């Protein structure tokens, strides 16, 4: 009895971990898309490489942003500036409160989700007029005024008086907590910030792409536009988030693909074995009788074999439809020649130089969101693939020692699947992640489990 409880516990965690990569992985991707504003990840981010530009010579001016907009016609651009000062603060009644001051434009919420608790964000009219307005976050509002109802109140920023027009809602989701810098955020018009703080510069541009191309043409067109305005593209980090999204989306599908491929191989071998068995049966009968008589006398057996073969073939087709997806490999990871040592050396060198150049660089919120999503996704998919596979294997191996028929085993694993999905739904709810189960992948997992149960049962019956 104790052994059976341990077996079911191992099997349960195997199923739970296997499904976690599918359910929570999909939820993480959807949350990342949601937190990246209306344009989601259909954008390219241009960021100054800080290590190459300690003096801020490569930052953009408002005129350069305008010229870039003309070069990239029909593409929205959002500019964000940061202060060159180490410590920034806002003042109220002569009391300074530490805060990160962000110079942004009215298009910023389209690229990064800014949910407001009260008031409104910076408008295009306020931006054009150079209005002295500010949007602060919920924590800063409570810290200074002890309430979120602060629209119309005044703050001193960079020695000038600003009117608060909005309060950003506190993000209590898992993603929000992981990307929280712990410093209160204040948003003011980017043009105003550049006038008041001479150390500030536009370090980040978010450019909406016309399509979700993953062939590097978005980065190429933006690099060309940068050259047209007198900027060297090598001084900037160009991140195409369409490519990042393509890589993220395929990650939770890899483990179900492996399970489906194993199931397809199993069914293919069984189909071959059944065909061989049917051929041997007919051939053996033909040694003593005519083939028509052999077929007539074995109609039930032949029909059963043909049905098994038909079901196996149908299972193979359905599994393939469930697991197939277009594997995406970024263009820069594909060498012109397969055996090209210099290419791989250059790739490694570029990765090392990139990490060195970004030392000391403070990532923007969109970068933090995507990087955090990737880390969470990698961790969950790793747990799903490794622990899920090991525990499922152990569960199936030990289940052979229990005297449970195929119906009982199927019912138990069906319950384990249902309970696992319910637990994952609750986990997604408490983590404030969308519950986004990939039905095809879940069915592939169930098909894998059922095929394992079926063939384990057949082995036991044959005494293998």
């Amino acid at each position: 009895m104790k052994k059976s409880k341990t077996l079911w516990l191992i099997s349960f965690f195997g199923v739970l971990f296997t499904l976690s990569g599918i359910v929570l992985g999909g939820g993480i991707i959807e949350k990342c898309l949601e937190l990246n504003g209306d344009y989601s990840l259909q954008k390219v981010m241009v960021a100054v490489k800080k290590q190459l530009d300690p003096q801020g010579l490569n930052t953009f001016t408002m005129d350069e942003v305008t010229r870039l907009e003309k070069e990239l016609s029909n593409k929205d651009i959002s500019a964000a500036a940061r202060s060159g000062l180490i410590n920034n603060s806002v003042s109220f009644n002569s009391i300074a409160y530490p805060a990160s001051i962000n110079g942004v434009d009215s298009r910023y919420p389209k690229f990064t989700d800014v949910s407001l608790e009260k008031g409104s964000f910076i408008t295009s009219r306020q931006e054009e007029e150079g209005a002295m307005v500010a949007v602060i976050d919920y924590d800063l509002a409570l810290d200074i005024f002890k309430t979120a109802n602060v629209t119309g109140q005044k703050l001193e920023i960079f020695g000038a008086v600003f009117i608060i027009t909005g309060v950003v809602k506190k993000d209590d989701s898992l993603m929000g907590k992981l990307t929280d810098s712990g410093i209160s955020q204040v948003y003011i018009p980017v043009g105003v910030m550049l006038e008041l703080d001479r150390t500030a510069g536009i370090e980040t541009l978010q450019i909406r792409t016309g399509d979700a191309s993953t062939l590097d043409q978005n980065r190429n067109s933006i690099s060309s536009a940068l050259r047209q305005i007198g900027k060297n593209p090598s001084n900037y980090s160009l991140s195409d988030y369409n490519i990042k999204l393509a890589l993220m989306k395929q990650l939770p599908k890899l483990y179900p693909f492996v399970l489906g491929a194993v199931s397809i191989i199993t069914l293919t071998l069984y189909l071959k074995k059944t065909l061989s068995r049917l051929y041997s049966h007919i051939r053996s009968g033909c040694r003593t009788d005519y083939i028509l008589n052999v077929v007539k006398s074995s109609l039930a057996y032949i029909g059963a074999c043909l049905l098994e073969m038909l079901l196996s073939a149908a299972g193979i087709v359905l599994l393939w439809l469930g697991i197939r997806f277009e594997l995406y490999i970024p263009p820069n990871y594909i060498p012109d020649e397969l055996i090209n040592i210099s290419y791989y050396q250059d790739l490694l060198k570029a990765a090392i130089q990139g990490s060195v150049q970004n030392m000391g660089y403070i990532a923007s919120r969109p970068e933090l969101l995507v990087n955090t999503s990737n880390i969470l996704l990698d961790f969950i998919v790793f747990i799903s693939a490794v622990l899920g596979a090991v525990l499922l294997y152990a569960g199936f191996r030990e289940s052979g020692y229990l005297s449970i028929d195929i119906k009982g085993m199927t019912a138990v694993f069906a319950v384990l699947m249902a309970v696992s999905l319910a637990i994952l739904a609750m986990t997604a709810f408490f983590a404030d992640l969308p519950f986004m189960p990939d039905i095809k992948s879940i069915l592939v997992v169930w098909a894998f489990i059922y095929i394992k149960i079926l063939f384990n049962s057949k082995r036991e019956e044959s005494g293998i």
Side-chain angles (χ1 to χ4, degrees):
M1 185 69 175
K2 187 176 180 181
K3 187 174 181 179
S4 64
K5 285 183 178 179
T6 304
L7 165 65
W8 297 131
L9 193 61
I10 291 172
S11 300
F12 167 69
F13 280 109
V15 173
L16 180 66
F17 286 134
T18 297
L19 293 176
S20 65
I22 299 170
V23 176
L24 297 182
I28 289 170
I29 294 171
E30 287 299 318
K31 188 67 177 180
C32 181
L33 293 173
E34 176 188 316
L35 292 176
N36 269 278
D38 296 339
Y39 294 158
S40 190
L41 295 183
Q42 196 171 331
K43 61 187 178 184
V44 171
M45 178 172 286
V46 180
V48 177
K49 292 180 179 178
K50 295 291 290 182
Q51 192 68 14
L52 298 178
D53 186 32
Q55 304 299 322
L57 300 177
N58 294 325
T59 56
F60 296 92
T61 64
M62 293 300 293
D63 287 340
E64 288 172 334
V65 174
T66 302
R67 287 169 57 197
L68 192 62
E69 286 179 337
K70 292 179 180 178
E71 292 292 335
L72 298 168
S73 56
N74 301 322
K75 292 183 180 179
D76 286 346
I77 299 179
S78 176
R82 283 182 179 166
S83 174
L85 302 174
I86 297 175
N87 296 314
N88 286 305
S89 63
V90 299
S91 299
F92 179 73
N93 288 341
S94 301
I95 301 175
Y97 297 86
S100 175
I101 314 299
N102 303 280
V104 297
D105 53 29
S106 58
R107 283 176 282 198
Y108 184 78
K110 292 183 178 294
F111 291 89
T112 307
D113 181 58
V114 183
S115 299
L116 294 174
E117 181 81 21
K118 299 289 182 180
S120 61
F121 201 73
I122 300 165
T123 65
S124 57
R125 183 174 180 179
Q126 290 170 338
E127 185 184 352
E128 291 169 2
E129 294 175 350
M132 309 292 278
V133 294
V135 177
I136 65 176
D137 67 18
Y138 182 80
D139 287 337
L140 185 61
L142 290 186
D143 194 20
I144 299 175
F145 302 101
K146 313 305 178 187
T147 178
N149 296 314
V150 297
T151 52
Q153 294 281 2
K154 296 179 180 180
L155 285 177
E156 189 175 310
I157 305 172
F158 297 130
V161 177
F162 284 74
I163 297 175
I164 300 173
T165 59
V167 177
V168 178
K169 188 181 295 184
K170 185 177 178 62
D171 186 359
D172 287 322
S173 69
L174 174 65
M175 202 79 72
K177 290 176 180 177
L178 290 175
T179 55
D180 186 6
S181 63
I183 302 173
S184 296
Q185 302 295 316
V186 176
Y187 303 93
I188 63 175
V190 61
V192 173
M193 182 169 183
L194 295 178
E195 288 180 9
L196 296 178
D197 182 5
R198 294 302 176 183
T199 68
I202 297 174
E203 297 180 356
T204 305
L205 299 177
Q206 295 186 77
I207 305 171
R208 186 190 185 189
T209 54
D211 55 50
S213 171
T214 54
L215 298 177
D216 240 7
Q217 59 198 44
N218 289 321
R219 282 192 295 207
N220 291 337
S221 64
I222 291 171
S223 295
S224 177
L226 287 172
R227 292 189 190 94
Q228 292 297 320
I229 66 170
K231 297 290 186 179
N232 186 350
S234 63
N235 293 328
Y236 304 90
S237 172
L238 273 65
S239 301
D240 191 341
Y241 283 81
N242 296 289
I243 292 176
K244 291 179 182 291
L245 178 60
L247 292 171
M248 288 172 66
K249 280 185 172 181
Q250 70 184 14
L251 195 57
K253 297 180 180 180
L254 295 178
Y255 184 41
F257 178 85
V258 172
L259 295 181
V262 170
S263 301
I264 287 174
I265 293 170
T266 303
L267 288 176
T268 302
L269 292 175
Y270 181 74
L271 192 153
K272 180 182 176 183
K273 183 179 178 181
T274 305
L275 181 60
S276 177
R277 192 171 72 244
L278 178 60
Y279 173 75
S280 298
H281 175 80
I282 294 175
R283 184 179 179 184
S284 175
C286 288
R287 290 174 181 173
T288 58
D289 203 350
Y290 293 108
I291 187 170
L292 287 177
N293 293 333
V294 172
V295 172
K296 287 179 182 179
S297 61
S298 307
L299 278 176
Y301 179 78
I302 294 172
C305 287
L306 290 175
L307 181 60
E308 287 183 6
M309 291 167 60
L310 181 63
L311 291 174
S312 297
I316 291 170
V317 172
L318 290 174
L319 280 166
W320 174 247
L321 292 175
I323 66 173
R324 68 173 184 172
F325 67 94
E326 294 182 5
L327 181 65
Y328 173 71
I329 302 175
N332 57 307
Y333 289 154
I334 303 175
D336 295 329
E337 299 175 10
L338 186 60
I339 302 176
N340 187 345
I341 302 300
S342 62
Y343 164 79
Y344 296 106
Q345 288 176 341
D346 292 342
L347 196 64
L348 179 61
K349 182 180 177 181
I352 294 172
Q353 288 179 345
S355 62
V356 171
Q357 290 168 1
N358 286 325
M359 289 177 62
Y361 170 65
I362 302 174
S364 61
R365 178 159 173 77
E367 289 176 279
L368 281 175
L369 288 171
V370 173
N371 292 341
T372 303
S373 299
N374 274 319
I375 292 171
L376 282 175
L377 199 57
D378 290 343
F379 175 74
I380 288 174
V381 170
F382 177 80
I383 293 294
S384 173
V386 176
L387 287 182
V390 169
L391 293 174
L392 269 183
Y393 173 77
F396 283 126
R397 183 178 180 181
E398 296 300 319
S399 65
Y401 298 105
L402 299 178
S403 56
I404 303 177
D405 60 14
I406 185 172
K407 290 182 179 179
M409 192 70 75
T410 303
V412 169
F413 271 94
V415 171
L416 295 182
M417 286 268 299
V419 173
S420 297
L421 286 172
I423 290 175
L424 291 171
M426 288 189 290
T427 303
F429 174 78
F430 287 115
D432 197 17
L433 293 174
F435 182 60
M436 299 293 294
D438 184 345
I439 302 301
K440 287 201 298 185
S441 295
I442 291 174
L443 290 176
V444 167
V445 172
W446 173 247
F448 171 80
I449 291 173
Y450 182 74
I451 289 170
K452 288 294 293 182
I453 293 171
L454 188 63
F455 282 86
N456 282 354
S457 176
K458 284 186 177 291
R459 281 198 200 95
E460 292 170 18
E461 290 175 3
S462 60
I464 298 176

